[in-house]
Amino acid sequence: MKRVDFLSLQGINARFTEQFNSAFAEINASGWYINGKFVKKFEAEFAQYCHAEFCASVANGLDALELILKSYLQLGLLAKGDEVIVPANTFIATILSVSNVGLIPRLVEPDPVTFNLSSANLQSHLTNKTKAIIGVHLYGQLFDLNIVKFAKENNLLLIEDAAQAHGASSDGLVAGSIGDAAAFSFYPGKNLGALGDGGAVTTNNKKVYEMIKMISNYGSSAKYVHDVIGQNSRLDEIQAALLSIKLKALNADNSRRQKIANLYSEKIHSKFLELPAFDKNSNSHVFHLYVVLSPERDRLKNYLSEKGIETLIHYPIPPHRQKAYQGILEGNYPITDKIHEQCLSLPISPILTDEEINYVISTINSFN
Ligand SMILES: *Cc1c(COP(=O)(O)O)cnc(C)c1O
């Protein structure tokens, strides 16, 4: 039987084995493992890649989000109890970052077609406590860019959760420099993934950058001098070196993902499936995930599994229905519920072969 992996991390990283090995040998021999030249180099490269002035690498994507909010709290741009708008259908980390630092998440339903926040339905969620929006570029697709204008007009901070959207861009705007600050994750399965945990904040705001650098390094401005309550959230030299190597391949990898998405969208014809909406002629979707909706999702998933095709669900339970947020996240979110009941992520990765893609397409087209 054919076997199509959802995402072979082993295969993705095998392409870089020689370069990884020589980077590791150099770092091992140097005796310098934290806050060294590889971290500095990667931060400079990633800032440039995102068209941002500054990049602060951190330990993971959740920390990146939390550190942005903590820096705003420290700088007096936010205060405990302020409300932050977040999409109701995001990965739970987006919402955790808000509630973990003493802010109030206000869930907003996504656009049913793009699965992303759209500027049209934000106005009715504003209260006099609303101070920020975290827009998620979900599945790799930029959120509605009218949100930038909406945030400015309403004096709101705009934070990008770009954990799924490394390299997405539209009309000269690049994920990571669209809002006031952006959070990235380098979790192994992301479009730019480390061989472990990693994350970064990009921003054009020097004060925010410096505050995040300080908080993430024990609140320390100079060694053993602590100006603010800090934490330990750092990317290490080895992960930074590996990420520098992989960053060079990111554009080609994203193009391959887009090629696969276009093939799926052109060739999958099934009355059981709704295919994702995206702009074919732009770089605004980098297809971290290719997500379809199907009223027969579970039957389709089992069928594909029997045919050797691995699929995943992003995500099976929406945040407002998680036990962790019982009694905290209130309200009805029918669009979000429908997406979670019907969504299915098809295999997509830069190393999927044409043969595998065609097999996925023909197998789905024979589903009945
Ligand atoms: C992966 C992810 C995060 C969290 O990143 P970690 O590195 O796993 O902490 C946050 N938001 C979104 C949308 C993600 O997909």
Side-chain angles (χ1 to χ4, degrees):
M1 187 179 66
K2 289 215 178 64
R3 166 94 228 153
V4 182
D5 290 327
F6 180 75
L7 178 72
S8 167
L9 293 177
Q10 188 277 330
I12 284 173
N13 288 321
R15 302 175 297 163
F16 307 101
T17 301
E18 268 177 44
Q19 287 166 280
F20 284 177
N21 285 347
S22 69
F24 175 77
E26 184 181 340
I27 293 164
N28 186 29
S30 76
W32 196 281
Y33 310 124
I34 298 259
N35 287 344
K37 68 175 186 184
F38 286 98
V39 164
K40 274 206 188 68
K41 177 170 177 280
F42 175 70
E43 287 179 340
E45 290 167 353
F46 197 64
Q48 186 181 34
Y49 184 85
C50 297
H51 297 195
E53 260 181 83
F54 306 101
C55 168
S57 59
V58 300
N60 56 62
L62 175 59
D63 277 6
L65 286 164
E66 285 188 18
L67 283 158
I68 292 170
L69 296 171
K70 284 181 180 175
S71 77
Y72 287 145
L73 288 163
Q74 276 293 346
L75 294 167
L77 298 171
L78 291 177
K80 301 256 166 182
D82 284 347
E83 293 177 7
V84 180
I85 287 177
V86 293
N89 62 318
T90 183
F91 177 57
I92 200 158
T94 319
I95 299 168
L96 286 173
S97 72
V98 178
S99 55
N100 282 354
V101 302
L103 298 164
I104 314 295
R106 286 290 172 226
L107 272 51
V108 173
E109 288 263 72
D111 180 281
V113 174
T114 64
F115 309 142
N116 267 329
L117 282 187
S118 94
S119 65
N121 56 359
L122 293 181
Q123 188 74 45
S124 60
H125 295 271
L126 294 184
T127 74
N128 56 9
K129 298 212 118 195
T130 314
K131 295 288 152 53
I133 302 170
I134 305 184
V136 180
H137 303 308
L138 195 70
Y139 305 147
Q141 179 161 236
L142 294 181
F143 56 64
D144 171 10
L145 294 175
N146 292 317
I147 291 177
V148 177
K149 188 161 157 261
F150 178 87
K152 282 209 178 88
E153 284 169 359
N154 292 283
N155 257 320
L156 304 172
L157 293 162
L158 177 59
I159 298 147
E160 295 169 73
D161 182 339
Q164 304 187 353
H166 320 68
S169 68
S170 173
D171 292 332
L173 290 177
V174 183
S177 53
I178 291 170
D180 295 292
F184 286 89
S185 163
F186 306 121
Y187 179 80
K190 301 289 159 87
N191 287 29
L192 179 61
L195 273 65
D197 276 311
V201 173
T202 54
T203 181
N204 290 332
N205 186 323
K206 191 169 186 210
K207 286 208 173 91
V208 169
Y209 163 75
E210 284 170 348
M211 184 57 76
I212 288 171
K213 273 286 176 192
M214 188 150 77
I215 300 174
S216 62
N217 193 30
Y218 290 111
S220 171
S221 53
K223 204 165 189 185
Y224 304 129
V225 180
H226 305 275
D227 297 346
V228 296
I229 301 286
Q231 68 194 68
N232 175 357
S233 183
R234 300 180 293 225
L235 188 71
D236 61 71
E237 288 286 282
I238 290 176
Q239 296 304 337
L242 305 186
L243 286 166
S244 280
I245 292 164
K246 291 186 75 175
L247 182 59
K248 293 196 181 76
L250 180 56
N251 284 346
D253 280 2
N254 282 345
S255 297
R256 179 65 184 158
R257 287 174 181 273
Q258 288 162 338
K259 176 91 193 298
I260 296 166
N262 285 335
L263 285 170
Y264 280 162
S265 289
E266 273 162 28
K267 296 192 176 169
I268 292 176
H269 299 286
S270 166
K271 63 174 181 189
F272 298 100
L273 261 71
E274 227 175 285
L275 302 178
F278 62 98
D279 180 359
K280 256 193 83 166
N281 300 311
S282 92
N283 186 49
S284 59
H285 199 329
V286 291
F287 289 96
H288 173 57
L289 298 169
Y290 185 95
V291 178
V292 302
L293 296 184
S294 172
E296 308 245 15
R297 190 263 313 272
D298 294 340
R299 194 166 71 80
L300 174 64
K301 187 174 191 340
N302 287 335
Y303 162 83
L304 291 173
S305 168
E306 280 164 18
K307 302 284 182 186
I309 297 170
E310 188 185 10
T311 57
L312 294 176
I313 296 171
H314 299 90
Y315 301 88
I317 306 171
H320 70 277
R321 294 191 181 279
Q322 297 286 355
K323 192 171 155 210
Y325 276 121
Q326 245 171 49
I328 301 169
L329 297 179
E330 315 252 292
N332 292 317
Y333 305 95
I335 299 171
T336 297
D337 283 334
K338 181 188 159 198
I339 293 170
H340 285 74
E341 280 156 23
Q342 300 197 354
C343 69
L344 189 68
S345 305
L346 304 186
I348 193 159
S349 90
I351 59 162
L352 220 55
T353 64
D354 289 351
E355 195 195 351
E356 288 174 316
I357 297 160
N358 289 330
Y359 178 64
V360 172
I361 292 166
S362 62
T363 307
I364 290 176
N365 287 345
S366 329
F367 177 66
N368 57 43

